[in-house]
Amino acid sequence: MIDLHVVLKVADTEYVISAADVLHMESYSGATRVPGTRDYVGGLIQIRGRVVPVVALRARFGLPSAEPTLDSRVIVVQHGGRTVGLLVDSAREVVTIAADELRPPPEIMAEESAGFVRAVAQLGKRLVMLVDVGRVIGEEQDHGR
């Protein structure tokens, strides 16, 4: 089975998420911070008449922050009934990846990545990592309850 995936870049690394989880992509022009939220929660944005929380993937992955650029995107995903924006450095490409091309990450990588990386795949000379969207947005759901 072949699935479509959106390629996104965080720092100098390419990741993919299933296009089935993606509602749309938007340019990023800032978010309204919410007091008391975790560092990786970038705040709230209004997109197409809807208020959406934003998870900054640089912070979520434990990477140094960077100023947003013209290439910065918010990928609005829906997963498990929740709608969340993922702030990434760039996202412009959609690729097809056959299910049998996705391999489990090496054990040490799976442990160190806090489960954020579900699989890896080779795209020509590029290596991309499949993000576990549920894991990335999951902890934010319990915050403050």
Side-chain angles (χ1 to χ4, degrees):
M1 184 168 151
I2 294 179
D3 289 320
L4 291 175
H5 291 81
V6 175
V7 178
L8 55 107
K9 202 168 200 177
V10 178
D12 291 325
T13 305
E14 288 187 312
Y15 299 88
V16 292
I17 57 176
S18 173
D21 288 333
V22 177
L23 296 176
H24 44 87
M25 290 190 289
E26 304 287 337
S27 295
Y28 180 71
S29 59
T32 302
R33 290 286 302 164
V34 178
T37 56
R38 297 178 188 221
D39 291 344
Y40 61 82
V41 178
L44 297 171
I45 58 173
Q46 186 170 339
I47 295 180
R48 300 181 187 189
R50 189 173 190 181
V51 176
V52 177
V54 174
V55 172
L57 286 192
R58 275 182 171 264
R60 189 70 169 121
F61 292 171
L63 300 168
S65 64
E67 286 298 313
T69 68
L70 291 175
D71 287 333
S72 298
R73 296 286 178 267
V74 173
I75 302 174
V76 180
V77 297
Q78 187 160 29
H79 189 85
R82 298 185 56 230
T83 302
V84 175
L86 303 176
L87 175 59
V88 301
D89 295 344
S90 66
R92 296 183 180 274
E93 184 180 5
V94 176
V95 295
T96 57
I97 301 175
D100 64 354
E101 293 179 69
L102 292 167
R103 306 267 186 256
E107 192 173 316
I108 191 166
M109 186 179 125
E111 293 167 6
E112 295 294 320
S113 71
F116 296 145
V117 174
R118 210 167 67 204
V120 294
Q122 191 85 28
L123 292 178
K125 295 184 182 209
R126 299 157 55 194
L127 187 67
V128 296
M129 291 180 273
L130 177 65
V131 173
D132 186 329
V133 173
R135 169 101 43 192
V136 167
I137 68 174
E139 288 181 26
E140 188 255 335
Q141 173 179 337
D142 298 328
H143 185 66
R145 287 193 180 180

